[in-house]
Amino acid sequence: MKPKSSLPPPIRMLKYALPYKRRVLLTWAAVAGLTGFQLVGPWLIRQAIDNGIDIRNGVPHGNARTLLVAAALITLAAIFRGVFQFGQTYLAEWLSQHVAYDIRNDIYDHLQRLSFAYHDKAQTGQVMQRATQDVEGIRMFVNMGVIRLVYVAALLVAALALMFVTNWQLALLSAVFFPPTAFFAIKMTSTLRPIWLEVQNLQGRIGVVLQENLSGMRVVKAFGREIFERDKFNAEAQNLFVNSFATNRIQAKYSPALTGVWALAMVATAWYGSSEILNGNLTTGQLTQFLLYLTMLQLPIRSLGWINMLWARAQSSGERIYDILDAESAVTEKADAVELRDIQGHVTFEDVAFGYDAISPVLRDVTIDAQPGQVVALLGQSGSGKTTVVNLMPRFYDVTGGRIAIDGTDIRDATLASLRRAFGIVQQDVFLFSATIGDNIAYGAADATYEDVVRVAKLARIHDFIESLPDGYDTWVGERGITLSGGQKQRISIARTLLLDPKILVFDDSTSSVDTETEYLIQQALAELMKGRTTFVIAQRLRTVKSADQILVLRNGQIVQHGRHAELIDQDGPYREIYDVELRDQEEAYERERERLDRVADDDGARAEPAAAAGGGS
Amino acid sequence: MAYWSGGSAGGWSNQGGHWNNQLRPNTLERSTDGSSDEELGSVYNHRVVMRLSKFVAPYRWRLFFAAFATLAFAFATRSMPLAVEGLLRGAENKDAGAINAWGWFYLALAAAGAIAYFTQLWQTGWIGHRLLLGLRKDMFAHLQKLSLRFYDNNEVGRVMSRITSDVTALQDLMTSGFLTILGDIAGISLSIFFLLYFDVRLALVTFSVVPILVIAMAIWQSYSRRAFTRVRQAIAIVNSNLQENVSGVRVIQSLSREDENARRFDSVNQQNLHATIDAGRLSAAVMPAVEIIVALAMSLVIAYGGYRVLNGKMGVAALVGFALQLQLFFDPVRDLVLQYTQLQRAMAGGERVIEVLDTKPDFEDAPDAVDIPDIEGRVDFNHVTFRYVDEVPVLTDIDLHVRPGETIAFVGQTGAGKTTLTSLISRFYDVSEGSITVDGIDVRQITHASLSRRMGLVLQEPFLFSGTVKENIAYGRPEAKDDEIEAAAKAVGAHDFVTRLEDGYDTYLHERGGNLSQGQRQLISFARAIIAQPRILILDEATASVDTQTEVIVQRALKTLLVGRTSFVIAHRLSTIRNADRIIVLEHGRIIEQGTHDELLALGGRYANLYRMTYEQHANGTGAHANGHERAQVPGFDPSPQPI
């Protein structure tokens, strides 16, 4: 983490407005024009009444020409005012949207460069909230805070000045009501904000209850839990009701108070102003001007409440956005990093250690020497560190001790891009982007041609399936398209990897039971993929383990056994245990099936087969 | 590539096009563009209003009260220019007494206005929020009654939006909209009245600008609606792009796609920027235009009104009063135009809400339904036929009699009716013909609660709820004690990993158990299925998507769990199928073969055929590039859709 800036986050956020400072100035100019012409209107009306009509002793002394000129000027002023108002609103929107755009780009870019360590902890929902609602919070603050606040201030100062020049006693009387209005407006929004946040939170919770209930309806019904679910929902709904009703109560209290205070200001001004007219200290036109100004000022003063709230929102939004932007990736590239070229695929781990914190290491003293083209099988219980070993090689995390080298080069001396290009990773849980199948295969190689894509799809044994789809390679997958089975996804992932042609391969083999047909296709695709590459397999299948050049058995982050199947099977150790518990099942089941198959083939009348136990083994 | 540049969030192409309202009963109306809240209805929908007025009925006196307060507030506000006119006339006539009288009157109006406004807000909120709560509860309770048929036909997202965004659209109408409209109409009428009162001719001249305002607003509305729809679509694309980036960050980094992605994100981000700025230009235009029209009216008042004052046809005080009243006149006119869309949206929302409330449940507990406290577990299918849609039967004439404690395995291709058959036992659907009995009692005569208590179900996708591990295991039996929960967990082999969790059985599981692995989730769902000691157990592909380790644990547990329970198993693991007491082979919804594994092999029919075919092909296939060790499965029975 960088040392935190001492500035409040919304102020720090204003640096995003800096590139647009000319626009800011232009917007402020529009604000000035708007304020000026807005104040001219009531002044013109006063002139029309006092000079155009000019009532003295109950008799008008004015003339129609002055009236006509005033009327024309009123419309003209309104047109100018309209132009400036349009300019101000539009420019403010332009500015705030550009700021939001820049922040979004920054967040996006920063997020995808943060290492796995960050993403392991971050929850997608939270990150999304920052990138959407929090950016919107900043955007509105820029719009309202930077522009609107200036407008309110300018309008208030100018109007008050004009009023004081006209009649300072009356001006003072009107102005007395401004502070309480502003105070109530701000009080209202600061009282409302926490409850609104709570309402939002509760809406989220009710959404979760709803979503879970509807998606899990089969489970709800299977367990006969409809009443329970209804009560759960009703409790949340009740909670939401209590809080939303509370916001209503607050608004019902403050809004009439605000309207009432302002009405009082009007009453006082009109009443006192009338007696001033009676005493000859004020003209009818001047009082009209006063009353029109008051009407005009009500909303801007009340909007101070909203500006206050936007400030509070920008405060927390800004903080959360900087949580992302200030987060430093645990994996960074050296300034003098070199490109890895012409890789042979010789991977070495030298006394590698890794831990998220100092107390509990995940890996210790891991030493591996994988020769180019070898198959290394990693075995061990979940949590033993298999996945961590493979994640360290492409520097998704950095080692905390020892070093990893490729062809003798420490991976920390290589550029991240060239290092990761060297690896092809086929995950257990294949992530497909919502795009066409073709795009997904070419995901890592944007410059691949259609022919390239078809070629690797054929090698990965997925081409025929893709061709059978109505839109072929243009079929959409992911959220908005068709759903693929695990086996199909895996073969797409293999095709994707083949296209990259990496020298080193990482394959997570702990796939769930796919049907044999798919299994067979996957095996064929894998055989293609492994040709001539150094391969690391997180192995679950006996066949993979038996054919590996090296088997590494991990336990609690350490390599406890190392060798080939033939060597390890005769030793008393964890490999035998795993073999007995997990792998032999597969072998025995297979052997039995083979025998049976042979017999069935020989003699269709075979009947008296002892049923084999499901779990086999011990 | 094509998909980035397209940027058409509106273009939801629903491949396969399986939405067909004519053919599918129980399917909610689908809006044309797929985003239901965009669709607008008519301004007034009698059916909606009548239905909703039933919800309002208990609060009608309060509603009258609120309406009265609304009218009072409108009246107080509109009378204020009259007070100003009185004050000015007093000043003109040098009548201090009149000034004071009008002053007090004005003050009284201000006070009355504030009180009326307070009453209006308080009462409308009171009613509106209660209506909303009632509506939400009713909808949810109703959704619980609908059978799975409804959920088969309607995606979760769509049902969700009925109870969230559609109800919210109604909320606006119910909490404030209705009375706002009433207040606006009252305000306009009163303003017209007072303007006419001040000066009839001047009033008539001024009204000439109203049509301009209304037309301008209406045109602006139709443009802005389109612009804001574009904005919503653009931001939706930005967000889904971002979401995908966050979820897929591991793939992105491993493929070094960061720069390319940043470039593409920038392009959708920019599209959003342009859409918002376009919309911003439109919304920036509306206020100035309105203000200019209002100023035009004001110019008319000054010119023509002033002329009339000069000619002695009107007092200057009346002119000022007129000008002030005019300011009040335009606000509700503008507001009503805006409310128009709001009202359309609310009516459309109301329509959709009512549609859900009016969807009839397929079945409910019969009035004379009985509880089955204890059963042996005998299940009989008596010539059962079932169809989802009227014409095509999914199951035809299933006649199957299962002894207590027997294990039945269903085998057949995808779509053969295996899952449907097991669903009928739990009475997710009702049979179309024939009957299903448990211990001789027709399931339609058994209360849903007691029937489900006797059954345990494990699905391929282990669905957990957010809550603790304990709560999830005890889902079907909330009164279960801690040791019962533990016993259930031990029985299925889940105890070990649960105790290793941070808070053991009290570990909080996030949405759908996201903090557990798939295998761990499935173990918990196994524990959940057996905690109530069900007599009948249904396993629907229960181990199809778990890792090998979990599968070993489950297979071991099953050996004891199946003993003494009537079990129905859909699986593709050979050993599970082979261990069954009876294998039922289904094809096109009919039982074509049944018997033990050996009997069926000996029969040399479909089962033997499928079995051999799959196995030989598999054995030959893998032999080529490996030493042939493979897990024994019978996938040919459950083939993936692709050609080989």
Side-chain angles (χ1 to χ4, degrees):
Chain A
M1 280 282 219
K2 280 179 203 163
K4 257 193 162 176
S5 169
S6 55
L7 289 171
I11 303 295
R12 251 186 101 190
M13 277 287 166
L14 289 182
K15 79 159 204 251
Y16 279 95
L18 275 185
Y20 308 109
K21 46 179 176 298
R22 284 183 52 197
R23 292 274 177 162
V24 176
L25 292 176
L26 205 59
T27 317
W28 283 339
V31 166
L34 167 63
T35 311
F37 282 101
Q38 196 170 0
L39 293 172
V40 162
W43 181 81
L44 283 169
I45 290 173
R46 164 187 158 189
Q47 297 306 323
I49 291 171
D50 286 350
N51 298 323
I53 298 172
D54 191 13
I55 295 246
R56 270 174 273 159
N57 305 319
V59 185
H61 289 74
N63 64 72
R65 252 192 81 219
T66 318
L67 270 179
L68 276 180
V69 171
L73 286 178
I74 287 172
T75 303
L76 198 65
I79 291 171
F80 276 108
R81 175 193 158 177
V83 170
F84 283 114
Q85 188 176 10
F86 173 80
Q88 182 246 287
T89 320
Y90 173 68
L91 286 170
E93 184 73 10
W94 189 97
L95 178 71
S96 67
Q97 291 292 358
H98 273 80
V99 167
Y101 161 82
D102 289 340
I103 298 177
R104 247 183 244 122
N105 265 358
D106 275 8
I107 291 181
Y108 184 91
D109 205 45
H110 199 73
L111 273 178
Q112 64 172 356
R113 287 173 209 280
L114 283 172
S115 77
F116 281 21
Y118 178 87
H119 291 284
D120 288 343
K121 276 182 243 149
Q123 289 187 345
T124 310
Q126 274 177 10
V127 172
M128 282 306 290
Q129 194 212 341
R130 281 158 203 217
T132 55
Q133 283 159 0
D134 288 338
V135 171
E136 183 63 10
I138 296 297
R139 188 190 74 74
M140 284 169 67
F141 167 71
V142 169
N143 199 335
M144 292 288 273
V146 178
I147 309 301
R148 181 86 189 172
L149 186 61
V150 174
Y151 165 68
V152 172
L155 189 67
L156 211 58
V157 170
L160 272 177
L162 281 176
M163 286 159 82
F164 271 94
V165 168
T166 311
N167 183 315
W168 70 267
Q169 294 97 331
L170 194 58
L172 200 62
L173 181 64
S174 314
V176 161
F177 294 92
F178 292 10
T181 310
F183 172 77
F184 278 136
I186 291 173
K187 185 91 201 290
M188 171 163 98
T189 54
S190 14
T191 318
L192 276 175
R193 194 176 129 80
I195 308 180
W196 262 330
L197 289 178
E198 181 61 17
V199 166
Q200 230 173 50
N201 177 23
L202 287 170
Q203 273 168 345
R205 271 174 48 185
I206 216 171
V208 170
V209 171
L210 197 56
Q211 165 98 40
E212 284 191 344
N213 173 270
L214 294 176
S215 323
M217 192 50 89
R218 200 169 269 270
V219 177
V220 172
K221 292 207 176 284
F223 290 92
R225 302 296 285 151
E226 291 92 339
I227 306 286
F228 169 79
E229 289 287 316
R230 196 195 66 201
D231 292 346
K232 191 161 82 181
F233 179 85
N234 285 357
E236 293 288 351
Q238 183 71 32
N239 224 337
L240 180 62
F241 161 75
V242 168
N243 279 280
S244 356
F245 189 51
T247 65
N248 177 69
R249 276 207 312 270
I250 293 163
Q251 278 171 303
K253 218 161 64 187
Y254 281 100
S255 295
L258 283 166
T259 316
V261 169
W262 207 258
L264 276 185
M266 295 282 283
V267 172
T269 309
W271 196 343
Y272 179 71
S274 299
S275 45
E276 284 286 280
I277 295 174
L278 190 137
N279 297 333
N281 297 330
L282 196 74
T283 65
T284 309
Q286 286 173 331
L287 182 57
T288 309
Q289 187 190 2
F290 259 89
L291 292 176
L292 289 173
Y293 280 163
L294 280 182
T295 316
M296 191 184 281
L297 287 176
Q298 181 179 8
L299 281 183
I301 293 189
R302 285 178 70 163
S303 75
L304 285 176
W306 296 107
I307 294 174
N308 161 61
M309 190 166 87
L310 284 172
W311 168 261
R313 180 174 168 188
Q315 191 101 18
S316 46
S317 291
E319 216 164 89
R320 284 192 294 260
I321 290 175
Y322 275 116
D323 271 352
I324 294 182
L325 293 181
D326 287 346
E328 268 178 55
S329 185
V331 175
T332 48
E333 200 172 88
K334 275 189 185 169
D336 56 349
V338 295
E339 289 275 313
L340 284 178
R341 277 173 218 274
D342 304 320
I343 299 162
Q344 299 302 306
H346 182 205
V347 182
T348 50
F349 280 60
E350 295 162 25
D351 299 320
V352 166
F354 176 75
Y356 293 99
D357 49 62
I359 312 151
S360 48
V362 180
L363 288 182
R364 268 179 302 160
D365 309 324
V366 172
T367 298
I368 304 172
D369 185 353
Q371 293 297 324
Q374 274 195 337
V375 176
V376 179
L378 298 163
L379 231 66
Q381 300 230 310
S382 62
S384 59
K386 295 170 295 186
T387 312
T388 311
V389 167
V390 298
N391 276 337
L392 287 176
M393 292 186 289
R395 288 188 75 199
F396 294 141
Y397 306 91
D398 262 350
V399 298
T400 45
R403 58 173 240 153
I404 300 173
I406 292 177
D407 295 350
T409 313
D410 190 317
I411 55 172
R412 284 166 296 189
D413 294 333
T415 60
L416 276 177
S418 71
L419 173 68
R420 287 175 183 169
R421 284 272 162 198
F423 285 90
I425 300 162
V426 181
Q427 300 273 9
Q428 176 192 0
D429 189 8
V430 177
F431 186 88
L432 293 183
F433 295 86
S434 29
T436 65
I437 291 191
D439 288 349
N440 264 296
I441 292 177
Y443 197 75
D447 51 347
T449 63
Y450 178 76
E451 285 71 29
D452 292 335
V453 170
V454 172
R455 183 179 52 82
V456 293
K458 280 183 178 157
L459 288 176
R461 307 296 190 269
I462 188 72
H463 172 74
D464 289 339
F465 165 70
I466 296 173
E467 285 287 279
S468 75
L469 295 170
D471 295 325
Y473 283 86
D474 293 328
T475 307
W476 276 72
V477 292
E479 224 171 284
R480 286 196 260 151
I482 61 165
T483 314
L484 298 179
S485 74
Q488 289 158 349
K489 281 193 201 165
Q490 205 155 36
R491 278 175 287 152
I492 287 179
S493 164
I494 290 172
R496 188 193 267 169
T497 310
L498 276 168
L499 196 56
L500 291 172
D501 195 20
K503 287 311 283 184
I504 307 160
L505 195 65
V506 172
F507 181 62
D508 192 338
D509 185 33
S510 55
T511 332
S512 52
S513 34
V514 287
D515 55 63
T516 332
E517 193 177 285
T518 312
E519 172 85 39
Y520 167 62
L521 291 171
I522 291 178
Q523 293 304 338
Q524 281 194 318
L526 268 181
E528 280 303 336
L529 189 55
M530 284 158 66
K531 274 182 203 157
R533 304 179 213 275
T534 313
T535 306
F536 289 82
V537 194
I538 295 176
Q540 293 279 351
R541 284 174 176 70
L542 182 62
R543 191 186 47 69
T544 326
V545 176
K546 271 187 159 177
S547 59
D549 298 305
Q550 302 183 37
I551 298 169
L552 302 176
V553 183
L554 282 134
R555 182 164 283 182
N556 298 327
Q558 278 178 300
I559 296 178
V560 287
Q561 260 185 317
H562 179 204
R564 298 179 69 97
H565 173 74
E567 302 156 22
L568 296 179
I569 195 70
D570 293 330
Q571 297 172 14
D572 229 9
Y575 182 76
R576 260 205 88 101
E577 268 173 52
I578 295 173
Y579 179 79
D580 282 343
V581 174
E582 292 179 33
L583 302 176
R584 205 168 66 191
D585 261 3
Q586 299 172 24
E587 185 160 38
E588 283 182 356
Y590 183 78
E591 291 301 336
R592 270 198 302 272
E593 290 313 313
R594 180 127 99 181
E595 279 168 33
R596 172 185 301 279
L597 192 73
D598 292 345
R599 233 174 309 161
V600 167
D602 293 345
D603 169 25
D604 260 11
R607 261 150 221 258
E609 279 301 316
S618 50
Chain B
M1 303 224 160
Y3 99 94
W4 297 95
S5 51
S8 55
W12 295 68
S13 56
N14 212 294
Q15 257 114 6
H18 36 36
W19 294 109
N20 193 326
N21 294 342
Q22 280 80 47
L23 276 179
R24 294 231 172 197
N26 254 331
T27 303
L28 297 174
E29 202 67 40
R30 190 185 182 79
S31 66
T32 42
D33 62 352
S35 49
S36 52
D37 57 336
E38 277 312 310
E39 214 73 341
L40 296 176
S42 54
V43 177
Y44 179 80
N45 184 324
H46 191 65
R47 192 166 142 248
V48 172
V49 173
M50 289 326 283
R51 274 299 295 271
L52 291 180
S53 59
K54 273 188 209 140
F55 285 92
V56 183
Y59 311 121
R60 58 182 174 278
W61 296 115
R62 265 181 197 272
L63 190 65
F64 282 130
F65 189 43
F68 176 75
T70 308
L71 294 177
F73 178 57
F75 186 78
T77 321
R78 265 61 190 193
S79 306
M80 286 174 180
L82 194 69
V84 175
E85 193 242 8
L87 283 168
L88 288 176
R89 204 149 23 83
E92 225 175 284
N93 301 336
K94 311 263 181 225
D95 182 351
I99 290 182
N100 280 335
W102 282 108
W104 283 112
F105 176 62
Y106 198 172
L107 191 63
L109 284 179
I115 293 168
Y117 191 34
F118 168 78
T119 313
Q120 177 195 340
L121 289 180
W122 182 275
Q123 295 301 334
T124 43
W126 197 97
I127 301 166
H129 286 291
R130 272 169 184 77
L131 279 179
L132 200 62
L133 177 67
L135 202 55
R136 281 218 179 98
K137 283 183 174 177
D138 273 20
M139 274 188 92
F140 190 85
H142 190 76
L143 285 173
Q144 303 308 301
K145 286 188 198 144
L146 296 177
S147 78
L148 281 182
R149 221 179 252 261
F150 176 83
Y151 293 97
D152 291 342
N153 293 346
N154 298 288
E155 310 129 323
V156 169
R158 212 136 54 85
V159 181
M160 280 267 303
S161 84
R162 299 281 157 129
I163 200 166
T164 53
S165 52
D166 287 336
V167 169
T168 311
L170 271 183
Q171 167 180 29
D172 294 337
L173 180 70
M174 287 171 149
T175 47
S176 58
F178 164 66
L179 289 175
T180 308
I181 293 167
L182 181 72
D184 282 345
I185 292 172
I188 291 173
S189 315
L190 285 166
S191 285
I192 291 174
F193 171 78
F194 281 117
L195 288 173
L196 289 169
Y197 166 80
F198 284 130
D199 193 289
V200 176
R201 280 169 171 245
L202 188 55
L204 292 178
V205 170
T206 319
F207 293 154
S208 65
V209 302
V210 173
I212 308 178
L213 178 65
V214 172
I215 291 169
M217 285 295 292
I219 293 174
W220 175 81
Q221 272 239 294
S222 76
Y223 273 105
S224 74
R225 202 157 65 210
R226 264 174 277 164
F228 283 105
T229 307
R230 273 199 298 277
V231 168
R232 269 196 295 277
Q233 288 170 349
I235 194 71
I237 296 177
V238 168
N239 289 344
S240 69
N241 208 310
L242 193 68
Q243 168 113 41
E244 202 169 69
N245 188 68
V246 176
S247 329
V249 71
R250 286 167 175 79
V251 182
I252 292 164
Q253 290 195 357
S254 67
L255 296 173
S256 306
R257 267 269 297 213
E258 293 93 335
D259 292 331
E260 177 66 15
N261 279 9
R263 201 176 57 71
R264 287 180 173 179
F265 180 76
D266 181 62
S267 110
V268 291
N269 198 7
Q270 223 165 62
Q271 279 173 27
N272 174 58
L273 178 69
H274 295 314
T276 50
I277 289 179
D278 284 350
R281 196 179 298 130
L282 265 176
S283 51
V286 66
M287 276 306 284
V290 169
E291 300 279 3
I292 289 171
I293 293 166
V294 174
L296 194 65
M298 196 56 93
S299 296
L300 284 174
V301 171
I302 292 299
Y304 185 63
Y307 172 76
R308 283 175 68 73
V309 175
L310 283 181
N311 291 341
K313 302 234 167 69
M314 190 181 176
V316 74
L319 184 67
V320 174
F322 193 98
L324 289 175
Q325 185 65 255
L326 195 64
Q327 301 262 323
L328 297 173
F329 174 60
F330 286 105
D331 277 347
V333 173
R334 206 172 58 206
D335 191 52
L336 269 186
V337 181
L338 294 177
Q339 287 288 339
Y340 189 85
T341 316
Q342 202 64 29
L343 206 55
Q344 283 180 313
R345 188 162 289 150
M347 288 297 166
E351 183 92 47
R352 286 189 290 263
V353 166
I354 287 170
E355 199 192 343
V356 170
L357 287 176
D358 283 353
T359 307
K360 290 235 160 25
D362 291 330
F363 50 81
E364 286 174 272
D365 276 353
D368 54 347
V370 294
D371 276 342
I372 40 165
D374 246 322
I375 56 167
E376 281 191 277
R378 197 173 75 242
V379 178
D380 294 282
F381 291 76
N382 305 310
H383 300 285
V384 167
T385 295
F386 176 76
R387 36 178 90 86
Y388 286 105
V389 189
D390 278 346
E391 294 89 64
V392 205
V394 180
L395 294 172
T396 311
D397 197 30
I398 301 289
D399 203 54
L400 177 65
H401 305 277
V402 183
R403 295 183 305 276
E406 205 179 0
T407 299
I408 301 286
F410 290 115
V411 162
Q413 304 215 329
T414 307
K418 294 168 294 184
T419 297
T420 308
L421 198 51
T422 56
S423 297
L424 291 177
I425 310 171
S426 327
R427 207 183 169 211
F428 286 157
Y429 312 96
D430 262 356
V431 297
S432 307
E433 285 163 36
S435 68
I436 296 174
T437 61
V438 172
D439 279 15
I441 311 170
D442 193 316
V443 289
R444 285 169 293 195
Q445 293 301 318
I446 303 172
T447 57
H448 173 63
S450 73
L451 182 66
S452 55
R453 195 143 257 242
R454 297 285 117 209
M455 298 199 184
L457 175 73
V458 183
L459 301 165
Q460 176 175 358
E461 191 60 42
F463 191 96
L464 302 184
F465 294 86
S466 33
T468 62
V469 170
K470 199 188 275 180
E471 283 163 3
N472 267 292
I473 294 179
Y475 187 74
R477 196 174 136 74
E479 71 275 15
K481 300 199 181 56
D482 283 4
D483 53 328
E484 291 176 82
I485 292 169
E486 234 168 81
K490 275 181 185 151
V492 301
H495 180 72
D496 282 351
F497 93 80
V498 172
T499 47
R500 278 202 307 271
L501 294 175
E502 205 174 317
D503 297 316
Y505 283 89
D506 291 318
T507 305
Y508 189 85
L509 304 182
H510 298 299
E511 243 170 281
R512 304 220 188 158
N515 41 350
L516 297 183
S517 77
Q518 174 93 354
Q520 292 171 330
R521 291 203 290 269
Q522 191 61 291
L523 288 181
I524 289 185
S525 89
F526 262 102
R528 176 175 71 185
I530 61 139
I531 190 162
Q533 299 294 339
R535 301 301 307 158
I536 301 169
L537 203 56
I538 300 169
L539 308 178
D540 187 351
E541 303 271 16
T543 58
S545 52
V546 299
D547 56 287
T548 344
Q549 265 183 32
T550 311
E551 187 160 346
V552 171
I553 298 174
V554 168
Q555 292 301 340
R556 261 188 224 149
L558 279 184
K559 273 195 279 185
T560 47
L561 288 180
L562 295 184
V563 173
R565 293 197 165 100
T566 312
S567 317
F568 297 90
V569 180
I570 303 174
H572 51 226
R573 203 183 216 275
L574 182 67
S575 53
T576 317
I577 295 173
R578 221 173 38 186
N579 282 341
D581 297 317
R582 228 185 325 162
I583 297 166
I584 311 290
V585 183
L586 286 169
E587 196 173 86
H588 303 307
R590 289 172 190 272
I591 297 177
I592 54 166
E593 285 171 19
Q594 54 176 307
T596 63
H597 176 74
D598 297 324
E599 287 165 7
L600 289 179
L601 275 191
L603 193 68
R606 183 63 47 101
Y607 180 82
N609 203 16
L610 274 172
Y611 175 74
R612 199 170 312 152
M613 219 174 59
T614 320
Y615 202 69
E616 276 165 7
Q617 169 256 323
H618 155 78
N620 296 338
T622 40
H625 61 99
N627 54 2
H629 286 282
E630 198 51 80
R631 292 215 279 173
Q633 294 174 336
V634 190
F637 299 158
D638 200 356
S640 49
Q642 75 271 26
I644 305 161

